[in-house]
Each structure stands twice: as structure tokens, then as C-alpha cells.
Amino acid sequence: MAKVRDMISGLADVMKGSLDEVDIVLVGGGGDLLDTSDAGKPSGVARFVKPPHGQVANAVGAAIGQLSFAIDEIYSLPSNDSELRAEKHEEYRDRARQGLLSMRVHADSITVHPLVERTLGYMPGFWFRVQVLAVGDIDDTQPPPQLPALAEAELAAAASTPQGDAPEQAIPPDAEDAMFTSAPDFSPRQYDSQGMWILSVYDVWCIVIGAGILGCGGGGSPSLAKIQCLRALRKGLTIRIVDPDR
């Protein structure tokens, strides 16, 4: 926490326009970890302000933000003909537009940003790198996409798997993006003799889904961390969670 306070103090010095102390507004899940009392204030900070529901401030940006679909590819042509390139550009713009339409957006809100193309001079022949981005407003009237659901028996199997002994089929490989639509009636948490939480396969999946929802996109996708955790458990390793109050 001392390191965090020093970082906040440095950021406050960079942002403020005078030598006066400034108020710091805490939003996001990390704000709850800070000591907001006068004793915990870093230098340069007048006070910490924690707005109501600030823990899910990222949800505001997620709710008012737009969806996007990006293409970044390399293609080749038999010649450096301008008409061929123009046809290829239009093909990429249409692909970006169609890709965005599959993501629940208002069709009339779609904007395709100017296409960027670079000639790859180090490649023999006529090779080009093309980048195109399409954005649009979220259409809340459309139903959400249906994701495959894990059967309750599969959830129970994942939850009852001892830590460090998670078989590959505890969670089916074809359900990597599945959501827990129903959970068995049990408490999945296990603790060691020092009171640290020992993660099971079921715990990892619950944390990943919860982080994806409550994080509202902050910090990026938790999918990579999920893969790393599951791989560690399958190797027989133990993952412990330390309470921040310890």
C-alpha cells in the first residue's frame, strides 16, 4: 500500500497546476484497497473522494461506448493497379461493416474510418498491409447472443475437483466461453491452515466471469489469466489468495 500511495502522490504532482493539494477521486475496484483516512493520505493530496457506486465506474463508459470491428491484414495483388487496389479497399470496408453488424449495433450508426494502407517494400511482388476500423452504437433492442451453457453435472464436477488435480475434461474444451447459468448448491471455497483461499477450477471460472462483468472491460480480458490458472492447477500447483487485510 505504501507503494500505491507513492504512485498516487507522483500522479497528483504531474496532474496539478499549482503547489496546492488536490482532491483525488477514487473510482474502480482498486479504490477500496486504499486507506482514505487522513493518516493514509499521500503528500500533495487534500482528501480522497469516493463517489457512490464508484467501484463500477467503468460500467458508465461501457454503457455509453461504441462497439468496434477492426481488420489488420496483409494482401497481395498481381500488379500495382489502382483499380484493383480500390476494389480490395471496398472489400475490406464491407467486411468491417458486416463484422460490426454481427455485434448488435444500429445499422444506421456505423461509421467506417478511413482505411490505412502501407506498401510492404521488403516483400517480393506487390504486397500491402491494410487496416480498417468500423464503429457503431450498441443496439439494446436486439437479444444478446446465446452462449453455450454448462450442464449442472459438469459444474458439480468442476467444483468437486480437488485443487492441483484438475483433469482436462473437468470443463469441456468446447465450452471455453460458456457462462454459468446455474450453480449447484454448495460453497466452493477452501482455505489452508493460514486462512488463505485455495482456488479450485470452479473458483477460477467464477472469478473470471465476475471480473469480466464487474471490471466492465477495465484491464482487458481475463481470458489469458484464466488459461494460466487452469494450466497451473492441471500441473498440480496450488493457487492461494491472500486477504488484503492480512
Side-chain angles (χ1 to χ4, degrees):
M1 287 298 100
K3 176 64 174 179
V4 174
R5 286 195 296 270
D6 290 342
M7 293 175 62
I8 292 176
S9 178
L11 289 172
D13 286 339
V14 171
M15 296 297 294
K16 63 186 183 181
S18 69
L19 296 177
D20 297 334
E21 292 185 336
V22 295
D23 294 341
I24 300 294
V25 180
L26 297 178
V27 295
D32 288 335
L33 301 177
L34 287 174
D35 179 8
T36 56
S37 65
D38 290 340
K41 287 190 309 181
S43 60
V45 176
R47 60 171 182 157
F48 285 117
V49 179
K50 298 178 68 174
H53 312 297
Q55 300 92 332
V56 292
N58 281 335
V60 177
I64 65 176
Q66 293 181 306
L67 294 177
S68 66
F69 188 91
I71 297 175
D72 187 345
E73 292 183 2
I74 294 175
Y75 74 94
S76 65
L77 292 174
S79 66
N80 193 16
D81 183 79
S82 59
E83 291 186 2
L84 289 178
R85 292 175 67 180
E87 291 176 2
K88 201 70 176 177
H89 294 175
E90 188 57 35
E91 175 186 328
Y92 277 110
R93 292 190 188 95
D94 186 64
R95 281 180 53 193
R97 190 180 297 107
Q98 294 302 320
L100 194 57
L101 283 173
S102 66
M103 300 171 61
R104 298 175 61 206
V105 301
H106 290 285
D108 56 359
S109 71
I110 294 179
T111 299
V112 180
H113 286 237
L115 181 144
V116 177
E117 184 183 71
R118 297 178 178 87
T119 302
L120 303 182
Y122 53 85
M123 297 286 289
F126 303 96
W127 289 82
F128 308 92
R129 178 184 177 183
V130 62
Q131 296 171 295
V132 60
L133 175 70
V135 297
D137 297 331
I138 300 173
D139 184 359
D140 294 329
T141 63
Q142 296 186 33
Q146 296 299 313
L147 298 177
L150 292 176
E152 186 167 331
E154 292 165 345
L155 292 178
S160 61
T161 301
Q163 58 276 5
D165 187 27
E168 290 291 338
Q169 298 301 320
I171 295 179
D174 59 352
E176 278 297 304
D177 296 321
M179 296 183 67
F180 289 93
T181 57
S182 62
D185 185 16
F186 68 94
S187 177
R189 288 201 178 191
Q190 301 178 35
Y191 296 88
D192 64 9
S193 59
Q194 299 179 344
M196 287 188 286
W197 178 15
I198 300 177
L199 294 188
S200 66
V201 174
Y202 181 85
D203 295 332
V204 171
W205 276 81
C206 289
I207 291 173
V208 167
I209 294 174
I213 296 173
L214 297 179
C216 307
S221 172
S223 297
L224 178 59
K226 175 199 68 177
I227 294 172
Q228 293 172 332
C229 290
L230 293 179
R231 182 176 297 172
L233 293 178
R234 289 164 183 160
K235 288 182 177 180
L237 302 177
T238 300
I239 303 176
R240 293 179 171 87
I241 304 296
V242 181
D243 192 302
D245 294 331
R246 290 176 59 89

